[in-house]
Amino acid sequence: MKIASFNINGIKARGPALVRWLESAQPDLAVLQEIKSTDDTFPRALIEDLGYNLETHGQKGFNGVAIVSKLPLEDVTRGLPGDDSDPQARWIEATVSTEQGALRVVGLYLPNGNPVELEGDGTPVAGGKYAYKLAWMARMEARLRELLALEMPLAVMGDYNIIPQTEDAARPDAWRDDALFRLPSRKAYRRILNLGFTEAFRARTQGGGHYSFWDYQAGAFERNDGIRIDHILLNAYAADLLQDCRIDSDVRAGEKPSDHVPIWAELAL
């Protein structure tokens, strides 16, 4: 089974680029981020005409996540538990089944967190975007503890808006004070990894120079001035099935591309 994650940066703007990639890469399942569309205005035919099932959790003009799958999507849930007042569409879950077994999939779009607003003592300003990011990650950790208790293969995929290590940025010094690379952000990510997850890409590839996002400005892609912020985390059951994991960086050179590219993993499932 080939599973993937792709921040498409707007389904209406990047629909053709998404279709080209789906036709070329043929993932069995993919989670999408930043669809920037409500559920009722999502151009479903783009996906369904390719033979995929589709589940969305949308929001007008911002955020929004989706799952596309050649297999039926079961037990679909929308929204990250822990804050009923949170209106942002950033989390979707579903289960897919094959003859070899079932896989629980999470598609997420983790908050960016910028600008970083801090009190005089260095704590995040209550109600600010950075405080929201860290609180969201705490809710994420709590939900993943619940999913791990199911004791079945689990893949948690998406745009994490986290640069895990210095090797994951072409110019790490430029990101030192950014919400994507600040130490509290990376510590929160590490706490999630330490629940028992394997980061699929790093299980297969080491070293720097591997990125999943390049800014549209100043020829960043041409200079490979990127960062790696799109990740696939696998619990122990899923990690045992991992066969490969790669980043489709060539997609960034296509017509009207997203500023992100897909990351995919193959599982023996």
Side-chain angles (χ1 to χ4, degrees):
M1 178 186 289
K2 185 176 183 178
I3 61 175
S5 173
F6 191 3
N7 180 322
I8 59 173
N9 193 20
I11 183 61
K12 294 168 186 176
R14 316 292 173 197
L18 173 62
V19 168
R20 287 196 302 271
W21 174 71
L22 288 171
E23 290 178 329
S24 174
Q26 290 292 313
D28 297 294
L29 179 146
V31 298
L32 310 177
Q33 303 87 47
E34 284 201 273
I35 62 175
K36 298 181 181 178
S37 169
T38 57
D39 296 339
D40 61 333
T41 61
F42 190 99
R44 302 183 62 90
L46 278 178
I47 306 300
E48 294 174 339
D49 287 353
L50 298 177
Y52 284 96
N53 299 293
L54 171 68
E55 295 287 346
T56 62
H57 179 38
Q59 182 178 342
K60 185 177 180 179
F62 298 94
N63 305 325
V65 288
I67 304 178
V68 302
S69 174
K70 293 180 179 179
L71 297 165
L73 292 165
E74 306 167 350
D75 301 323
V76 179
T77 62
R78 296 167 173 83
L80 178 62
D83 184 355
D84 293 338
S85 67
D86 185 357
Q88 298 194 27
R90 295 180 175 273
W91 185 276
I92 190 168
E93 300 178 20
T95 298
V96 291
S97 299
T98 72
E99 293 181 356
Q100 288 73 38
L103 173 71
R104 187 67 176 171
V105 174
V106 173
L108 66 92
Y109 176 43
L110 203 149
N112 179 286
N114 287 302
V116 176
E117 300 170 295
L118 304 175
E119 301 284 5
D121 61 359
T123 59
V125 171
K129 291 185 176 181
Y130 192 53
Y132 174 69
K133 180 189 186 91
L134 296 180
W136 200 94
M137 294 185 76
R139 290 163 53 200
M140 175 181 173
E141 180 180 347
R143 177 57 180 158
L144 291 181
R145 288 182 184 274
E146 295 175 346
L147 292 174
L148 288 169
L150 298 177
E151 296 186 346
M152 65 181 293
L154 170 66
V156 185
M157 308 189 289
D159 176 358
Y160 279 71
N161 271 316
I162 294 289
I163 304 169
Q165 301 180 82
T166 55
E167 65 186 10
D168 296 313
R171 295 181 298 116
D173 286 344
W175 296 90
R176 292 292 178 188
D177 296 322
D178 193 279
L180 279 64
F181 195 56
R182 284 180 56 83
L183 186 57
S185 305
R186 290 187 286 136
K187 282 185 173 180
Y189 180 73
R190 184 61 57 181
R191 284 195 297 271
I192 289 168
L193 281 179
N194 288 344
L195 295 177
F197 286 100
T198 294
E199 190 188 313
F201 184 77
R202 284 306 182 201
R204 304 292 299 183
T205 303
Q206 301 299 314
H210 307 285
Y211 310 124
S212 63
F213 171 91
W214 298 261
D215 192 272
Y216 288 123
Q217 306 299 318
F221 178 67
E222 290 74 15
R223 295 183 291 109
N224 202 25
D225 183 8
I227 53 177
R228 192 176 68 89
I229 56 175
D230 300 86
H231 310 305
I232 296 176
L233 303 191
L234 305 174
N235 73 347
Y237 297 99
D240 285 344
L241 304 173
L242 180 63
Q243 296 181 313
D244 200 2
C245 182
R246 299 188 187 185
I247 297 171
D248 279 347
S249 56
D250 290 349
V251 172
R252 186 62 168 77
E255 184 179 355
K256 294 183 179 179
S258 170
D259 42 9
H260 292 251
V261 294
I263 178 173
W264 55 266
E266 288 185 347
L267 305 180
L269 190 65

